[in-house]
Amino acid sequence: MNPKIFEKLKTLAEAAKYDVSCASSGTTRNNPVKNLGTAAGWGICHSFTEDGRCVSLLKIMLTNHCIYDCGYCMNRRSNDIPRSTFSVSELVELTIEFYRRNYIEGLFLSSGVVRNADYTMERMVRVAKDLRLVHKYNGYIHLKSIPGASRELITEAGLYADRLSCNIEMPSEASLRIIAPDKNYQSVYRPMHYIQQGFLQSAEDKKKYRHTPRFAPAGQSTQMIIGASPDDDNRILHLANALYQRPAMKRVYYSGYIHLNTYDTRLPALPTPPLVRENRLYQADWLMRFYQFKVDEIVDEKHPNLDLEIDPKLAWALRHPENYPVNINTADYETILRVPGIGVKSANLIISSRRFGRLTSDHLKKMGVVMKRAKYFITCNELQAFTVQEAGSEYIRRALTAPPKKKKDEEQQLIIGFEYDTPRNP
Amino acid sequence: MIPPVTPKSPKEDFVSAKYSTSPPPTPPSGGWGVITRYFIYDNTFDGLLTCVFDAFNRKEFPDRIVGENTQLPLFTESFTVITDETKSDRVLKALREKISRSALDMLFIDYLSESDDTTIILFRYIRKALTSEFSIEMNFADPDVLELSKIYKKVTREEERMRQFVRFQKTVDGIFFAVMNPIYNVLPLSARFFQNRFADQSWIIYDIRRKYGLYYDLHTVETVQFDHLEIAAETGKLTPEKLDDYELAFQDLWKDYLKAITIQERKNLKLQRQFMPKRFWKYLTEKN
Ligand code: SF4
């Protein structure tokens, strides 16, 4: 073993750590011929770092040398930092050995740009290809595609990777131009488009031929940095919504901006990363994907930013008291899902259980409904409660945001959730 | 009401027995009056099913079912059930006609929670399922159905934690070895996962609490027991001379890696512990 590997791992893991998209979900890979590795459904979190983030993949850079100078990035060329490069075989060995010890679900590889986009992309593809073809590795692979990479390389990458991603980084092209002048939306959207085409083509071929090589079966994802530019939540969520309309787009990640390059005055000097806002964006994203909310219901010109004090579902409910209280024993699934305090799981339990008899608030409590919130928005034919109709939105907001009896510093450390089914990778 | 049954044709019991749709009364905690009826069984799943068979047969239903060697409180009536596969098979067969495959799987998984409190709920559930005219599976307003679904979640969650937190150490003879200490008996549930994923390496996962392990030899998974396990009690680590030459280097690389990807600006130890409870740290490579 090359003793330099320790130094390289440290440098190149640190270089990759700010990319938040580490989910390893979305593929099912069986292992019929007794090789190494499987992937199934939701990826597994194997560890959690001290910041509470899930470690599922070996998230690492091939190199942190870079010819570009993106303002938000630690690896930009103007920074004087230790630089390293893995050889293809070093990275392959690390992945395999970590995998065999059940440390990881697979590899998430990104890279700084050396020489040009294609030169870099080509080496990344070689890592994936070696893993699959030489080592018969069947675990998860996520490759970042380099902005500006050619269609040929993206297409080849799709044959070996489960997921490809291409980060938008800035929620508007204007901001991207200012902060990352080497990039533009075209260099991001093009690879995104190639991925989408490969994905659709492979689905099409599957109908015609029995053996079609799979193309990035877990689709693609992207990431936006939050709070580095003046773009509001209305802009961010509409962009996310538009991205989700694309057939292969599986996840949009939001990453609260961390002010690393303090000398760069194009960027806001945030004292702490905007974690509450990031959390609210994930909740809004959840509402769009699993709670049948339309983006316009969450943000619009009149409410361009998410309420930081309360979660977006409660915010919607308080803006629309006329829809409540909801009768738990008769309302349809969509309506029940809109009750603050009721998540997807409890909504399903309610629907399937009420066929056997009338549900009471006692049942709801046992089914995991957060009654502290839900009680203002439901009726279950019991004694008339104190709902939003009687109490008014303002009262409920105050009741539910009354400072909890805990230490101040914990407020920054919100956990995604309440009734939201917790995403593993905030 | 349960119609009278002739003890000679117990098989009929499950088919013909009709129970009113209301659930059987649950005893108040402490049982009816002072006398609580105990069934004693051998802690096996077949044993539990035999309890069901015998109960129908005797028209006597237990308030508690406990494992052998349990100290019984005063003023109890007890009956010792002798596990009998023909009996348990019959119950299983009757049960199959009443509930779905996945509900049946759930019962077995609940059983792996290894708690007497669960056993009696399982018993009541099976009794209700056998005598109810319609499937009770989805009736979460029934406290027993709801409770079993919750226990199911806990047990499968524990099994998921095996997938998450098992850490193999590579030994000199190339076997990948891991120690675990799960609160429920979930090893049987994870066998298939590890067999599929690590199909080209032999491995052992050892449950240190129950003193047995699974051993995969590249062909099949078998149960193993060691009289004497040479591991560090505090960390589950094998002694260095038992390890592959590069094992410690990879352990260090893994630790370095986790340190390197932590974002100090977002430090949140509470969140870390919420996702990765302390009780798992003992055998985690990265925490030792
Ligand atoms: S391209 Fe930009 S974001 Fe990527 S490594 Fe280089 S400087 Fe950083």
Side-chain angles (χ1 to χ4, degrees):
Chain A
M1 194 189 290
N2 179 352
K4 282 213 191 99
I5 193 113
F6 286 88
E7 212 38 57
K8 287 191 186 182
L9 179 76
K10 199 168 156 282
T11 309
L12 292 166
E14 245 166 44
K17 72 180 170 187
Y18 293 103
D19 198 312
V20 288
S21 47
C22 100
S24 55
S25 59
T27 317
T28 304
R29 274 179 186 278
N30 297 320
N31 185 5
V33 281
K34 288 199 167 189
N35 293 322
L36 175 66
T38 51
W42 294 92
I44 299 169
C45 293
H46 286 279
S47 193
F48 293 86
T49 44
E50 287 187 355
D51 49 31
R53 290 186 312 156
C54 153
V55 181
S56 172
L57 304 173
L58 170 59
K59 182 159 57 171
I60 198 131
M61 290 185 107
L62 186 62
T63 178
N64 66 339
H65 287 280
C66 193
I67 54 172
Y68 290 165
D69 206 34
C70 309
Y72 44 79
C73 179
M74 198 168 66
N75 305 309
R76 59 190 291 188
R77 74 163 177 260
S78 25
N79 281 355
D80 178 22
I81 51 164
R83 310 255 176 193
S84 276
T85 303
F86 271 126
S87 72
V88 172
S89 63
E90 282 167 342
L91 246 184
V92 167
E93 187 189 7
L94 261 181
T95 307
I96 298 272
E97 294 298 329
F98 275 16
Y99 195 88
R100 286 197 181 287
R101 286 161 178 78
N102 203 39
Y103 296 166
I104 54 169
E105 287 294 284
L107 173 68
F108 176 8
L109 185 60
S110 57
S111 182
V113 184
V114 264
R115 287 198 217 172
N116 56 52
D118 273 357
Y119 177 85
T120 313
M121 193 70 207
E122 199 265 332
R123 310 210 44 194
M124 293 174 71
V125 173
R126 260 182 48 208
V127 174
K129 188 176 178 179
D130 261 30
L131 279 168
R132 291 275 190 245
L133 301 187
V134 180
H135 296 268
K136 306 276 184 256
Y137 163 85
N138 207 26
Y140 197 87
I141 300 179
H142 178 163
L143 290 184
K144 195 93 149 287
S145 61
I146 302 296
S150 71
R151 182 193 292 268
E152 289 68 32
L153 282 167
I154 299 278
T155 309
E156 200 186 355
L159 295 179
Y160 309 120
D162 291 284
R163 171 167 286 176
L164 296 169
S165 63
C166 208
N167 285 356
I168 278 199
E169 307 293 15
M170 287 293 129
S172 70
E173 175 146 37
S175 315
L176 188 71
R177 283 241 168 90
I178 297 168
I179 297 170
D182 303 308
K183 290 179 179 168
N184 55 46
Y185 262 26
Q186 205 191 28
S187 70
V188 179
Y189 274 116
R190 265 225 193 105
M192 231 180 226
H193 188 63
Y194 299 150
I195 299 167
Q196 182 179 323
Q197 281 181 325
F199 189 83
L200 292 177
Q201 183 66 45
S202 150
E204 198 47 44
D205 289 351
K206 220 193 240 138
K207 292 187 205 140
K208 286 187 254 163
Y209 316 109
R210 238 166 66 83
H211 295 291
T212 310
R214 299 207 294 178
F215 184 95
Q220 61 177 320
S221 63
T222 190
Q223 168 178 306
M224 278 184 248
I225 298 171
I226 304 310
S229 60
D231 306 296
D232 59 22
D233 296 340
N234 187 28
R235 164 82 217 164
I236 292 167
L237 288 171
H238 273 84
L239 178 56
N241 183 59
L243 288 165
Y244 280 132
Q245 307 307 316
R246 295 168 163 253
M249 184 58 70
K250 300 296 182 210
R251 280 302 297 273
V252 175
Y253 291 91
Y254 311 90
S255 173
Y257 173 66
I258 300 172
H259 194 47
L260 298 166
N261 300 320
T262 42
Y263 58 86
D264 195 328
T265 51
R266 294 171 301 174
L267 290 147
L270 303 182
T272 52
L275 296 185
V276 178
R277 184 177 175 202
E278 179 192 293
N279 181 36
R280 296 283 177 242
L281 283 165
Y282 276 113
Q283 290 176 326
D285 186 274
W286 234 237
L287 291 183
M288 294 197 292
R289 291 190 302 138
F290 303 115
Y291 285 73
Q292 309 179 13
F293 272 74
K294 296 209 180 62
V295 61
D296 294 313
E297 294 179 298
I298 305 170
V299 276
D300 55 27
E301 301 282 324
K302 279 223 303 278
H303 307 92
N305 285 307
L306 295 171
D307 196 323
L308 294 184
E309 202 178 46
I310 55 176
D311 71 273
K313 187 167 145 188
L314 179 60
W316 184 85
L318 294 181
R319 285 203 302 273
H320 297 277
E322 69 280 7
N323 295 331
Y324 301 95
V326 165
N327 187 327
I328 287 299
N329 284 296
T330 55
D332 58 16
Y333 176 73
E334 288 74 20
T335 312
I336 289 178
L337 214 46
R338 293 210 171 202
V339 174
I342 297 184
V344 173
K345 274 186 212 134
S346 30
N348 280 324
L349 284 179
I350 288 167
I351 298 285
S352 54
S353 303
R354 68 185 186 189
R355 286 180 286 147
F356 296 94
R358 211 170 54 78
L359 299 180
T360 64
S361 54
D362 216 36
H363 291 129
L364 297 183
K365 227 176 273 168
K366 292 201 185 115
M367 288 174 188
V369 172
V370 184
M371 290 303 282
K372 190 182 127 203
R373 307 158 76 73
K375 67 178 179 198
Y376 298 113
F377 302 96
I378 55 167
T379 151
C380 22
N381 310 331
E382 289 171 338
L383 276 180
Q384 196 45 57
F386 188 53
T387 73
V388 65
Q389 291 303 333
E390 293 80 34
S393 298
E394 236 348 275
Y395 174 86
I396 294 173
R397 168 188 284 267
R398 265 182 285 123
L400 293 179
T401 53
K405 290 180 188 64
K406 55 179 182 183
K407 280 173 268 135
K408 184 89 180 129
D409 63 324
E410 282 175 21
E411 272 167 38
Q412 279 295 308
Q413 309 199 337
L414 281 181
I415 295 163
I416 295 211
F418 309 120
E419 77 272 16
Y420 294 80
D421 306 22
T422 312
R424 288 287 166 70
N425 298 284
Chain B
M1 290 299 294
I2 313 167
V5 284
T6 40
K8 278 187 185 161
S9 56
K11 191 181 177 188
E12 298 288 282
D13 296 359
F14 309 112
V15 188
S16 62
K18 285 264 161 26
Y19 198 78
S20 69
T21 49
S22 63
T26 342
S29 60
W32 301 114
V34 275
I35 305 290
T36 308
R37 184 178 291 137
Y38 275 73
F39 273 20
I40 299 164
Y41 82 129
D42 64 354
N43 281 320
T44 63
F45 194 62
D46 278 332
L48 170 61
L49 296 177
T50 310
C51 287
V52 176
F53 188 97
D54 284 357
F56 272 96
N57 222 357
R58 300 163 58 91
K59 282 174 274 167
E60 245 179 40
F61 296 89
D63 305 312
R64 292 281 289 167
I65 301 178
V66 295
E68 302 157 329
N69 307 327
T70 309
Q71 182 77 41
L72 295 187
L74 289 175
F75 308 117
T76 51
E77 229 174 61
S78 72
F79 169 68
T80 304
V81 174
I82 312 292
T83 301
D84 177 340
E85 268 186 44
T86 34
K87 290 180 180 176
S88 63
D89 280 352
R90 278 192 179 168
V91 176
L92 205 56
K93 201 167 154 233
L95 206 48
R96 283 214 179 94
E97 281 164 23
K98 291 289 195 173
I99 59 173
S100 68
R101 174 71 204 270
S102 59
L104 206 57
D105 286 348
M106 181 197 75
L107 295 183
F108 180 70
I109 288 170
D110 280 323
Y111 155 76
L112 294 175
S113 69
E114 296 183 323
S115 141
D116 290 341
D117 292 339
T118 312
T119 314
I120 189 62
I121 303 173
L122 282 167
F123 178 90
R124 287 202 299 263
Y125 181 103
I126 295 173
R127 181 183 177 192
K128 272 182 268 194
L130 288 174
T131 51
S132 163
E133 284 181 61
F134 48 84
S135 165
I136 61 163
E137 293 169 31
M138 300 300 270
N139 185 9
F140 296 101
D142 179 318
D144 289 338
V145 178
L146 186 66
E147 189 56 27
L148 285 190
S149 77
K150 283 186 178 162
I151 298 169
Y152 171 83
K153 246 179 252 158
K154 287 190 203 161
V155 179
T156 47
R157 183 81 191 86
E158 187 73 359
E159 191 265 331
E160 196 188 331
R161 264 136 177 190
M162 299 279 285
R163 303 177 187 204
Q164 293 180 273
F165 304 135
V166 155
R167 295 285 183 268
F168 288 116
Q169 310 164 54
K170 191 177 182 185
T171 62
V172 264
D173 26 50
I175 295 175
F176 287 79
F177 175 82
V179 186
M180 284 302 270
N181 185 9
I183 48 178
Y184 309 123
N185 184 16
V186 290
L187 219 51
L189 298 178
S190 13
R192 179 142 21 127
F193 169 81
F194 287 102
Q195 185 175 4
N196 284 340
R197 174 159 291 193
F198 302 106
D200 73 340
Q201 75 192 42
S202 39
W203 48 260
I204 294 170
I205 303 172
Y206 205 78
D207 179 338
I208 208 146
R209 187 187 294 240
R210 294 168 190 79
K211 299 197 170 45
Y212 81 100
L214 299 178
Y215 170 46
Y216 171 70
D217 64 357
L218 300 181
H219 303 286
T220 52
V221 176
E222 268 157 38
T223 312
V224 285
Q225 280 181 309
F226 300 122
D227 301 332
H228 183 64
L229 202 56
E230 275 180 56
I231 53 167
E234 288 310 304
T235 61
K237 292 239 166 97
L238 292 164
T239 45
E241 68 275 9
K242 289 230 161 57
L243 294 175
D244 177 83
D245 287 350
Y246 294 112
E247 175 56 28
L248 291 175
F250 282 113
Q251 292 186 9
D252 286 342
L253 283 165
W254 174 236
K255 289 183 210 173
D256 288 353
Y257 171 70
L258 290 176
K259 243 175 260 149
I261 57 165
T262 302
I263 299 180
Q264 286 308 327
E265 293 89 330
R266 300 180 65 132
K267 200 159 175 166
N268 188 343
L269 294 174
K270 202 173 142 203
L271 195 57
Q272 181 192 32
R273 265 204 306 282
Q274 181 188 325
F275 289 128
M276 193 164 73
K278 267 263 161 94
R279 70 183 166 96
F280 294 99
W281 289 22
K282 190 167 173 188
Y283 301 132
L284 283 175
T285 307
E286 58 266 38
K287 291 290 167 199
N288 290 295

